[in-house]
Amino acid sequence: MKKIITAITLCSLAALLCSCGGSYRTVQTPEEMTKPFSCTGLHVSNATWHFVDELGQNVDVQGHCAKGKKHGQFEFYIQGKMIAKTKFTRDVENKTTCYAMAQTRMNLNDCMKINASNNSQNNN
């Protein structure tokens, strides 16, 4: 009898801890959509962001937030043109395919810099 009560108590405690594990929002606020892409506090399948990056580019991003972290494929567009596809795993950039010059692999930051450089040369 003592083992049964102990088992029930442990199961109840485990269920309570799991239910309090963390709550993530499944909808972005308009403010979150206009800031650089961040998944903090979100669990959203089709998250979107529209912001101006530090290079002055108007960036549109689509991606997936899982348990408050960037997880899965993110697509980056500037002026309607896809600039990069990046794969994230638990907030860590795994690989990025950059379309700014030719389809090449590099990190996202470098890809965005190349695109900004290309655009400034084309505008001159």
Side-chain angles (χ1 to χ4, degrees):
M1 185 68 168
K2 189 175 184 181
K3 290 182 181 181
I4 294 173
I5 292 172
T6 303
I8 291 172
T9 303
L10 289 175
C11 288
S12 298
L13 182 60
L16 178 65
L17 290 174
C18 288
S19 67
C20 298
S23 61
Y24 299 98
R25 288 179 280 98
T26 57
V27 177
Q28 288 175 283
T29 64
E31 293 81 26
E32 289 171 326
M33 292 178 168
T34 59
K35 293 181 180 175
F37 72 111
S38 170
C39 287
T40 304
L42 295 174
H43 189 79
V44 181
S45 292
N46 295 311
T48 59
W49 296 268
H50 314 285
F51 61 94
V52 177
D53 70 2
E54 64 275 357
L55 302 168
Q57 303 176 106
N58 289 313
V59 182
D60 295 316
V61 182
Q62 298 171 344
H64 180 80
C65 297
K67 297 181 182 177
K69 296 181 180 181
K70 295 178 282 244
H71 191 76
Q73 182 170 294
F74 282 70
E75 297 177 346
F76 294 80
Y77 295 87
I78 296 176
Q79 298 174 350
K81 179 183 172 192
M82 184 183 295
I83 299 303
K85 273 188 188 177
T86 302
K87 168 93 166 107
F88 283 92
T89 302
R90 295 185 206 105
D91 262 350
V92 176
E93 182 180 337
N94 278 354
K95 62 182 176 181
T96 298
T97 303
C98 182
Y99 301 100
M101 287 177 25
Q103 186 174 338
T104 57
R105 291 277 168 94
M106 65 178 58
N107 71 47
L108 179 60
N109 193 37
D110 289 344
C111 181
M112 297 304 262
K113 287 178 182 176
I114 287 171
N115 187 68
S117 174
N118 289 345
N119 286 341
S120 68
Q121 289 174 3
N122 290 339
N123 291 338
N124 290 333

